Amino acid sequence: MGPAMWGGGDSMAPENMPMAEPFLGELQNLVRAHYPLIHISTHEEDRCLTAIRLLAAQMDKKVFLWSTSRGCHAMDPAEDVPAASRYRLADLTAAIEFFEKQVTTKARDDNGFIFVLLDPFPYLSDRSINPIYRRRLRDFAISIRTKSYQASCLVISPTGEMPVELEKEVTVIDFPLPSRAEITGYMNSLLDRLGTRTAITVDDDPGLTEKLVDAALGLTLAEIEGALVKAVVEDTHLTAEAVDKIFRQKQQIVRKSGVLDYIDTGSLALSEIGGLKVFKEWLRIRAATFSPKARGFGIEAPKGVLLTGIPGCGKSWAAKCVAASWRLPLVRLDMGKIYSALIGSSEEHMRHAIQTAEAIAPCILWIDEIEKGLPRPRGYIGDSGVSLRVLGKFLTWMQEKTAPVFVFATANQIDLLPPEVLRKGRFDEVFFVDLPSSAERREILRIHLSRVGRDPQQLDLEELVRLSGPEFLGDSLSLTGAELAAWINEALIHAFDRGADDLMMDDFRLIARQTVPLAQMRQEEIREMREWASMHAMDASAAIHRRSQLTPELGVLEGGASAGGLPSGELKDVAAPDP
Ligand SMILES: Nc1ncnc2c1ncn2[C@@H]1O[C@H](COP(=O)(O)OP(=O)(O)OP(=O)(O)O)[C@@H](O)[C@H]1O
Ligand SMILES: [Mg+2]
């Protein structure tokens, strides 16, 4: 079941729907400049054809369509190809010949043509046995370019990549998912139709349509209709419950996209992050800049943040807490899947992910381990071109994006990040998350003890802080946030196993003696990370800017030692004392 967009006649007719304005503008420019081949990658063929129909009407162009099943036909029935030859033209070379004939024999007052190829990739791909299709299309594209044909050839298809021979002739553009205005129009007409043609009653909650529209952002029109129909099949009275159903449908679709995941952030909040004061303050200030009021004040929505640092120190955790505290949906983009997906190209996946994120904006796009899939800078053999191109596409989008998509990226192996990632204009800030200081460990322990329903007052918190830091573990070592959380968990298991009424300090001591901290196993790596961070990142915990910018006074404050040589945890205690 799809939206009956070609049915015409009722309020759902394409003419009545607001259409993706920026897309139409871009396409119009390309057609006006006689770009020979334009590839529009979309699953929404109907909606895309509606846009093309609007454009053709505005520019007074004739549109011919080709598909392997229907052959050639005109978009305007009055102009149609005689039925007898329509099917003969199912062959792609015959169709292109037919197109070329239209152009070369056109009447003087004709304003030119738009030719549309629907799903031609099986003929064009490098794997197709017959090279004639590729060649014929290339000849045609070259003719459009060199002989100033009044024509453009559009290719519409949800997937597929142009063969190399055609790469130079083709321009790829995005067809955006329906905008809020489009969805509102569509939702209104759907509800109208349901109300007048079926036994379904629509709740007279005045905010209902708006809630449905919010939930439907990010879906195609067909998907919206599908979700809504599903909701009314289950209940003939349409209420706000349908919102949940649409929302669940959306989660499924985001999942189906293969590279994005909806993350449930439940009851988390910024206060669940222990330490990282500077980072949390930075976020607190940014939270308000999403509002219309901030926009009115002239503030652009923040682009995003890159969090690097020692494993287990709360990077991923922070992403969830931020989303929960800002009450924005959190969608995770898996870079690994972008490169490894079996169907479609990496570039397509990236395009699709960006589109989906923009469509559900405002949201947080979480890219965990952004460096995943990037080639190793030294000694790498293989195709580094694709991954750099995909990352390039992403960075360009970051720089230019206007949709309120806040990018929350994390990186573990910072040496893999190409310098472009760090350039100004991309991320608003790069933060480094170090091992937690004693004050931070205290906070993290408090948070996680509370999370397992234990009152931190009942335990010797200071002793726990001591056992998890340099005093007990040795030179500049401390447990990470992940290790602290695991420590509590292990201690609980131990207490339970010995049949105790509750946790005792001895449970913690026992586990502590058995633990080899990550910081000890990876000392060298941590040292390198800190060195990198001192040049490139802002400390997420200490109220100092990049350490390379330390003022002499701060240097004295830190005991006169250079930042690199200090046990960093303790450094932060001095620089950012807890209240
Ligand atoms: N600052 C913190 N405050 C509260 N909990 C924390 C903190 N840091 C870590 N944790 C706990 O440790 C767990 C693991 O942390 P997280 O997954 O965020 O680490 P990470 O920095 O993303 O590590 P990795 O580099 O391995 O992905 C979290 O789920 C959380 O329970
Ligand atoms: Mg992580």
Side-chain angles (χ1 to χ4, degrees):
M1 140 201 45
M5 297 187 48
W6 291 95
D10 63 5
S11 57
M12 316 239 317
E15 296 72 46
N16 298 334
M17 297 209 335
M19 241 310 152
E21 285 298 330
F23 169 78
L24 278 181
E26 188 181 5
L27 187 57
Q28 180 155 19
N29 287 339
L30 296 177
V31 169
R32 191 171 282 142
H34 304 303
Y35 273 64
L37 262 182
I38 302 164
H39 177 197
I40 308 170
S41 162
T42 176
H43 283 273
E44 294 189 280
E45 189 179 284
D46 272 349
R47 220 178 113 245
C48 186
L49 288 175
T50 304
I52 292 170
R53 167 182 285 195
L54 282 176
L55 182 75
Q58 279 170 20
M59 299 181 80
D60 192 22
K61 299 222 179 244
K62 282 191 186 142
V63 182
F64 286 97
L65 302 141
W66 172 89
S67 70
T68 184
S69 59
R70 295 183 63 196
C72 278
H73 60 110
M75 191 175 253
D76 178 357
E79 307 271 346
D80 214 356
V81 183
S85 45
R86 223 175 279 160
Y87 293 100
R88 190 179 54 76
L89 298 174
D91 179 72
L92 185 58
T93 45
I96 294 172
E97 235 117 78
F98 169 80
F99 291 164
E100 193 146 19
K101 189 150 165 245
Q102 301 299 313
V103 187
T104 48
T105 60
K106 81 173 180 66
R108 188 163 316 147
D109 55 352
D110 263 354
N111 259 332
F113 301 85
I114 295 174
F115 302 115
V116 182
L117 304 178
L118 302 174
D119 291 335
F121 284 108
Y123 292 89
L124 301 179
S125 99
D126 293 330
R127 286 181 293 276
S128 133
I129 320 158
N130 195 343
I132 189 167
Y133 300 111
R134 258 173 282 164
R135 183 65 227 184
R136 188 63 190 89
L137 187 57
R138 188 170 176 206
D139 288 341
F140 185 44
I142 292 172
S143 295
I144 293 179
R145 195 157 45 73
T146 55
K147 299 185 185 161
S148 316
Y149 283 176
Q150 302 280 310
S152 283
C153 192
L154 314 187
V155 171
I156 303 180
S157 146
T159 160
E161 234 175 320
M162 284 287 170
V164 260
E165 299 97 305
L166 286 165
E167 254 173 24
K168 287 268 181 295
E169 307 293 343
V170 76
T171 307
V172 184
I173 63 171
D174 292 333
F175 186 61
L177 284 163
S179 65
R180 174 175 286 276
E182 255 179 291
I183 292 180
T184 308
Y186 186 68
M187 193 65 84
N188 280 329
S189 65
L190 258 178
L191 293 180
D192 259 11
R193 209 168 43 143
L194 285 175
T196 53
R197 298 193 196 162
T198 63
I200 288 152
T201 51
V202 179
D203 208 70
D204 56 5
D205 168 2
L208 181 60
T209 316
E210 188 153 339
K211 284 182 211 145
L212 289 170
V213 170
D214 272 338
L217 280 168
L219 297 181
T220 64
L221 295 184
E223 288 161 347
I224 295 169
E225 182 169 336
L228 208 63
V229 167
K230 196 163 154 219
V232 294
V233 163
E234 287 163 20
D235 184 356
T236 55
H237 185 60
L238 190 70
T239 64
E241 264 175 49
V243 173
D244 284 340
K245 291 197 178 122
I246 292 191
F247 203 74
R248 273 202 294 278
Q249 165 96 350
K250 179 154 88 178
Q251 295 189 350
Q252 238 178 45
I253 281 156
V254 168
R255 274 192 200 113
K256 248 198 311 195
S257 76
V259 289
L260 288 181
D261 265 313
Y262 241 93
I263 307 292
D264 186 12
T265 56
S267 58
L268 293 176
L270 267 195
S271 56
E272 299 282 308
I273 305 176
L276 314 189
K277 271 172 89 163
V278 176
F279 179 54
K280 281 193 287 192
E281 176 61 10
W282 187 90
L283 288 168
R284 190 192 62 72
I285 295 170
R286 296 298 174 298
T289 58
F290 276 102
S291 64
K293 192 173 160 200
R295 235 169 296 144
F297 201 70
I299 297 175
E300 278 178 38
K303 289 178 187 303
V305 66
L306 173 63
L307 215 53
T308 69
I310 296 170
C313 287
K315 299 184 292 296
S316 306
W317 180 252
K320 294 179 204 163
C321 293
V322 174
S325 118
W326 289 359
R327 294 180 200 290
L328 292 179
L330 181 66
V331 282
R332 184 174 57 197
L333 171 64
D334 189 329
M335 287 302 252
K337 279 193 200 157
I338 291 245
Y339 301 114
S340 68
L342 291 173
I343 306 160
S345 69
S346 307
E347 276 115 323
E348 237 169 65
H349 287 303
M350 183 49 100
R351 200 161 47 231
H352 185 61
I354 287 174
Q355 258 187 14
T356 311
E358 287 204 329
I360 55 179
C363 70
I364 297 185
L365 179 63
W366 173 25
I367 307 182
D368 210 16
E369 300 178 29
I370 191 171
E371 76 277 19
K372 213 156 64 182
L374 283 176
R376 317 233 141 211
R378 284 180 295 274
Y380 177 82
I381 313 160
D383 177 25
S384 62
V386 173
S387 50
L388 288 179
R389 220 160 52 225
V390 169
L391 188 73
K393 163 133 189 120
F394 171 75
L395 292 174
T396 311
W397 167 74
M398 267 212 77
Q399 187 146 354
E400 292 169 358
K401 79 184 156 73
T402 50
V405 176
F406 184 83
V407 176
F408 195 113
T410 72
N412 279 357
Q413 286 173 279
I414 31 201
D415 54 324
L416 292 185
L417 289 179
E420 300 89 284
V421 175
L422 304 171
R423 202 180 297 147
K424 268 283 165 221
R426 265 73 191 254
F427 291 99
D428 295 316
E429 193 55 82
V430 180
F431 281 100
F432 178 71
V433 183
D434 208 329
L435 289 171
S437 68
S438 57
E440 291 181 311
R441 290 198 302 279
R442 193 175 299 121
E443 257 185 64
I444 296 172
L445 285 163
R446 248 194 219 121
I447 289 168
H448 284 284
L449 284 169
S450 307
R451 287 182 71 82
V452 293
R454 296 305 191 283
D455 179 1
Q457 310 286 350
Q458 302 295 313
L459 289 156
D460 186 352
L461 203 56
E462 290 320 306
E463 172 71 352
L464 293 180
V465 170
R466 196 187 67 80
L467 286 171
S468 57
E471 251 183 88
F472 180 73
L473 301 171
D475 192 26
S476 84
L477 296 176
S478 107
L479 296 187
T480 64
E483 286 170 322
L484 292 172
W487 189 24
I488 295 175
N489 201 35
E490 293 288 323
L492 275 175
I493 292 172
H494 186 259
F496 189 70
D497 179 54
R498 64 183 175 81
D501 286 340
D502 204 357
L503 266 179
M504 303 273 287
M505 286 305 290
D506 274 343
D507 297 311
F508 283 98
R509 285 195 191 95
L510 186 100
I511 306 294
R513 277 197 292 274
Q514 298 169 350
T515 309
V516 184
L518 168 131
Q520 186 178 338
M521 293 184 285
R522 299 167 76 167
Q523 285 195 45
E524 180 54 22
E525 213 176 303
I526 292 178
R527 196 190 56 75
E528 281 174 12
M529 278 189 186
R530 284 183 180 154
E531 202 171 299
W532 179 92
S534 69
M535 301 300 294
H536 298 99
M538 187 153 159
D539 195 305
S541 304
I544 45 173
H545 264 263
R546 290 178 178 76
R547 293 186 189 176
S548 56
Q549 299 166 357
L550 281 182
T551 60
E553 300 92 274
L554 274 172
V556 172
L557 211 116
E558 285 157 23
S562 76
L566 267 176
S568 97
E570 310 319 309
L571 177 149
K572 281 179 280 186
D573 279 353
V574 185
D578 261 26

